[in-house]
Structures are given as C-alpha cells and as structure tokens.
Amino acid sequence: MAVQSQDAIVTGGFDAPVFDAQSVFRALMDAMARPGTVQAIAPRASAPSPLGPVAAALALTLCDVDTPVWLDAALATDGAIARWLGFHAGAPVTDDPAAAAFALIGDGPSLGSLDRFARGTHDYPDRSATLIVQVPDLAAGPALTLTGPGIKQSTALAPSGLPARFTTLWADNNALFPCGIDMVLATPDAVAALPRTTRIQSTEN
Amino acid sequence: MTVQPTGLADYNFAYLDEPTKRMIRRAILKAIAIPGYQVPFASREMPMPYGWGTGGVQVTASIIGPDDTLKVIDQGADDTTNAVSIRAFFAKVAEVSTTTSTAEATIIQTRHRIPEETLGEGQVLVYQVPIPEPLRFLEPRETETRKMHALEDYGLMHVKLYEDIARNGHIATTYAYPVKVEGRYVMDPSPTPKFDNPKMDQSEALQLFGAGREKRIYAVPPYTSVVSLDFEDYPFEVNRFDEPCALCGAEGVYLDEVVLDDRGGRMFVCSDTDHCEKRRAAGHRGAMASEGTLA
C-alpha cells in the first residue's frame, strides 16, 4: 500500500509542463476576464482522489514554492494531495487559511465563511486568496445571474455544489471591494471564474 | 550551451523560465480581478533595455502559446524598430506566427496606440507602459500614491486638470490622459493619445498593461467602464484633425505629421499603418497618394 500511494504521488503531473501550463492558464485567464463563461480544459494532470483533473491542472499552473496552499477537510484527508502538490509544484501546504495564496476546496457545500481567507488590504488588494472550488458541473445547479466587468450586460451560470447561501456569502465578498477573494470553479472538464467584481443574483424562476 | 541552427535555441519557450511565467500569470489574474489596480510583480531583466517594452514583452511571453498569432505596433506602425524587433524576438523564442493585420492577431502588443480597427472577443491587447502611476508626477512618493489609491483620493488629479484649464483655457493633456476604471481606480492608459481613450471603454478585447522598469501589471477586462476624467463644463474631447490622411483619405483616425522638406512642406498620414494599407488596397486614395503604387 505504501508503494502504491508513492506511485500516485510521483505520477500525474503535466506531460508537457510548458505547453500544458500555458494552455490551462489561457483558459483560466479567459474565464477570469469573462466571468460566467465556461472554458473547457482537456485532462492533463491526475492527482490522488478526490482532487479532480481540472483542479489539479490549475494547481500545477498557478502554485509553486511562493504560494502557500490550503486544503479543505475533503482534500486534506490522508495527506496524499498535499504530498502530490509538494512533489509536482513544490508548493507548501498550510493549515492556516489566512496564510494561503490558494485554497483548494473539495467540498463546496460546506465551504462556510469566506472571512477566514486573506482578502488583501486597501493598500494591496492583490494580496488576497484565490479559491479553487471543485464543483460537479456549471449548468445543473441553482440558476445565477452575473453582472460586472467582463460581462456584457448580464450572463447566466448554474453551478451545483456551492453552499446554499452562496449568494449571501458572495455579496459580503463584493462589499469588500477592492479587497476580497476571487473564486475559480473547476468541474471535471472545464473552468469558470468569479472574480471579486462579479455581482451574483439568484435567478427567480 | 549550444544554439541549434534551426528550431528553438537553448532557452525556454517564450524566453522566460516557468517560475517567472507563473509569477506573472498570478499577477495578471489579480490585475483582471481588480480592474485598474497596479499589481506589483518581480519584473525580470529582458534582453532589451528598459523603455523598449520590457513590461509588455514579459506579459506577452507569459500568455503566448504556439497557436497564437502576434502583432506588434509602435505608435501605430508595424514597421518601426521597436515593433520589428519585438515581433522578431517572439518569432525566434516562441516560434509563433506573426502578422501585421489587426484582424488576424490573437495578441497585439502595442506601444502607445490602439488600432483603429475595433478589437474583438478573441483578442488580447498588451500595452507597454513606461510610468504606470497616473499620480506619480503630482506626488513622487510611492507610499503616498498607494494611500491615495486606497482611499480613492483623486482630488489632486482633478486639481491638475483644473490648472490646465486655468492656464490654457482647456484641458491641455493630450496623451496619457487619466481614466477612471469601473468607477474606482484612476489609471494611466499608457502614453496613448487621448484620441484612443474612448476605444478602451466597453472594449470586447481584454487589455493588459505591463510596466517593466516600474514592476507593475494592470488590466482592464472586456466590457468594463473606462471614463476619461473631465468636468461638467469642460467635457472630455478627442483630438480632431483638419484634413484626412494624405495617403488613404481616412477621416476620424489618428494622424501623424510627416515633415517633407525644409520649406514648410508636410503631410498628415494614418498612424495605424495596417489600417492605412488596407484602405489603400481597397482603392481609397488620399490627396498625396501616387496612383501607380500600393504600399
């Protein structure tokens, strides 16, 4: 068993680190610049379960020795994901969510308060956490209407696997602008982003 | 170290090493998330001097991929030294295809102009920025300007524009004209002529700004409000030109003055060479265009 888990840790990185990171980043950059758009990401990385291929690829694209990473309880489990991140990205894993540059969230519904993550300061609002949240999909959940920079008038997104009172949490995050966290939603094959500027309303049905 | 006679030489794709690209990519994401805010980044030395676009080059190098088509303009022109050198640089270190056509480009790196042709959703405009801080010439201390941005205290900039009016009867700032992004941050649009400011507002293309010497990256996402600062009784106005382009006859475009002799002879031509060439290819003729030749 020890051998098996060791294999899982040293394998699953990018086959072509330079080009894989570039194409994943461009998809993410487009997602961040155009909130609510869904950008496909082909499977390029495989991490120990339950970290999915897209969230794993995003972590390899963004994280390194300079970026402490926080894992939620669903991903922290037996430490395999922390070791995988350490081996492939060199990223330190921290227990303190306030110290994390990136937070990987495996269990979206129990995300809880966003206050525990770094929100930046008024002098340096960029020193804030980016949350990478694994969600099952972006179309089957409660319908949300998004407005803000990057969006022509308004757009719709229906992510499942977010907390029930997500729109309230997010409105609190909006109120901190220019501080606040930014969120990336990773499905098994695509990514969408919610920068702090995006305003979200439940779509009345 | 050997340099292959063909193919990539012995350095990484797009010149920068991967940790540097990751650092710049993280800065770009935060810049997009906080429109108009200048994100500090660990700018690298590039194989060209500061002032030649090291910030823009680092941004381009961090986003470019093998499928991209790159266009580089210097004051609107594809064929001046800075543009030719940077295009050749990326053709060599990233083996990307390059173009002079605005419509064909996926990434356009620019020094001090926005193309006349409206940019679309699939395009990224990368600006080379010398002094990213719009308040720097009013307040030299970084600690103070940072506080002014934090407190959204932009009174000094309005005083500057007011003094323009008091001295000259109008706002005399004609380039690097300050803008407010999404109602929050005052931003330097880089030394583009104020003629180009309206193109930044609600642009379909993503706009990224890189300042290498000053170590700042900032961004304007697509469909974002960019308002040129002004007063109710002295509204913002763009430059107007008395005559059309002497080569292609275009009106409503930004023109360069070209001195022809030492007896006062001059002509005004499109600063955007691609736009001018396309118009001439389509049969448009200005007053001084020779009939037989296409540029």
Side-chain angles (χ1 to χ4, degrees):
Chain A
M1 182 188 156
V3 172
Q4 199 174 14
S5 76
Q6 197 63 32
D7 279 352
I9 285 158
V10 299
T11 59
F14 287 147
D15 285 337
V18 172
F19 299 104
D20 286 346
Q22 190 275 335
S23 77
V24 171
F25 171 73
R26 274 296 276 279
L28 177 58
M29 183 178 85
D30 285 344
M32 194 64 89
R34 302 168 199 281
T37 61
V38 178
Q39 311 285 339
I41 292 184
R44 293 168 192 277
S46 62
S49 174
L51 190 65
V54 168
L58 291 170
L60 293 186
T61 300
L62 296 171
C63 302
D64 58 26
V65 67
D66 293 328
T67 59
V69 176
W70 181 84
L71 303 174
D72 76 346
L75 299 180
T77 55
D78 60 354
I81 292 171
R83 290 201 297 281
W84 186 85
L85 281 173
F87 182 83
H88 292 280
V93 170
T94 175
D95 293 334
D96 177 10
F102 293 94
L104 298 184
I105 313 290
D107 181 15
S110 53
L111 174 60
S113 168
L114 301 176
D115 291 348
R116 53 197 169 136
F117 301 106
R119 301 177 290 182
T121 64
H122 283 275
D123 283 359
Y124 292 95
D126 56 301
R127 295 180 183 174
S128 58
T130 303
L131 271 57
I132 298 172
V133 183
Q134 289 202 133
V135 297
D137 65 78
L138 295 163
L144 305 174
T145 302
L146 316 183
T147 54
I151 300 167
K152 191 179 187 179
Q153 286 157 357
S154 73
T155 188
L157 192 68
S160 46
L162 288 177
R165 50 188 204 96
F166 177 69
T167 52
T168 313
L169 288 176
W170 194 256
D172 293 346
N173 188 53
N174 285 152
L176 300 170
F177 189 83
C179 299
I181 59 110
D182 305 304
M183 190 173 280
V184 176
L185 304 177
T187 74
D189 58 7
V191 69
L194 301 172
R196 66 195 74 180
T197 48
T198 301
R199 293 174 291 279
I200 304 179
Q201 284 189 307
S202 291
T203 307
E204 306 292 334
N205 283 324
Chain B
M1 295 273 283
T2 54
V3 176
Q4 268 84 44
T6 57
L8 287 179
D10 272 345
Y11 36 73
N12 194 26
F13 175 79
Y15 188 76
L16 293 175
D17 57 284
E18 290 301 297
T20 297
K21 285 188 201 165
R22 265 198 302 276
M23 173 269 297
I24 293 173
R25 286 167 181 167
R26 291 193 295 258
I28 289 171
L29 293 178
K30 287 299 175 193
I32 293 170
I34 318 167
Y37 167 76
Q38 303 158 49
V39 181
F41 80 111
S43 178
R44 300 297 193 238
E45 272 197 66
M46 298 301 287
M48 61 190 71
Y50 287 137
W52 285 66
T54 54
V57 165
Q58 288 178 78
V59 170
T60 300
S62 301
I63 66 174
I64 203 164
D67 301 334
D68 278 308
T69 303
L70 179 71
K71 170 184 165 82
V72 185
I73 51 174
D74 171 7
Q75 303 273 17
D78 293 280
D79 52 4
T80 50
T81 309
N82 197 223
V84 171
S85 308
I86 292 173
R87 208 160 53 229
F89 175 75
F90 281 109
K92 180 175 182 184
V93 302
E95 293 187 329
V96 293
S97 51
T98 59
T99 182
T100 58
S101 164
T102 300
E104 286 171 20
T106 55
I107 299 173
I108 302 172
Q109 182 170 326
T110 176
R111 175 175 174 273
H112 312 350
R113 267 316 305 282
I114 299 173
E116 303 293 355
E117 201 172 327
T118 306
L119 302 180
E121 289 217 339
Q123 297 181 301
V124 182
L125 187 59
V126 178
Y127 296 73
Q128 302 171 197
V129 182
I131 309 284
E133 177 49 71
L135 304 167
R136 183 59 70 233
F137 291 110
L138 306 172
E139 170 51 70
R141 289 167 295 181
E142 166 69 13
T143 47
E144 289 302 305
T145 53
R146 184 160 293 281
K147 205 171 292 172
M148 291 157 77
H149 282 295
L151 298 173
E152 208 175 341
D153 176 7
Y154 296 126
L156 203 53
M157 184 59 88
H158 281 100
V159 170
K160 192 250 177 201
L161 296 177
Y162 168 76
E163 286 184 346
D164 261 9
I165 296 168
R167 284 185 188 148
N168 307 304
H170 61 280
I171 297 177
T173 306
T174 54
Y175 67 94
Y177 191 103
V179 294
K180 196 165 210 180
V181 182
E182 202 59 23
R184 178 57 180 83
Y185 282 100
V186 165
M187 186 187 91
D188 182 348
S190 86
T192 50
K194 68 176 180 178
F195 179 89
D196 285 338
N197 276 20
K199 296 177 194 164
M200 305 179 78
D201 183 41
Q202 304 294 334
S203 166
E204 287 183 23
L206 169 63
Q207 302 172 76
L208 300 176
F209 300 77
R213 179 182 47 216
E214 303 292 324
K215 302 176 173 58
R216 295 291 185 274
I217 286 170
Y218 52 103
V220 176
Y223 307 116
T224 296
S225 145
V226 178
V227 178
S228 303
L229 299 183
D230 62 356
F231 298 99
E232 273 177 21
D233 49 348
Y234 285 88
F236 172 80
E237 285 178 343
V238 297
N239 332 31
R240 294 194 194 293
F241 297 90
D242 295 335
E243 46 189 299
C245 171
L247 293 179
C248 77
E251 296 181 17
V253 296
Y254 194 75
L255 301 178
D256 285 337
E257 180 179 2
V258 180
V259 173
L260 297 175
D261 53 37
D262 58 1
R263 297 184 301 278
R266 62 198 56 216
M267 67 193 289
F268 287 88
V269 296
C270 285
S271 124
D272 185 334
T273 53
D274 175 56
H275 186 71
C276 198
E277 281 167 17
K278 280 192 178 137
R279 279 181 53 84
R280 275 177 282 156
H284 297 279
R285 285 291 179 278
M288 297 173 82
S290 55
E291 275 310 313
T293 56
L294 285 181

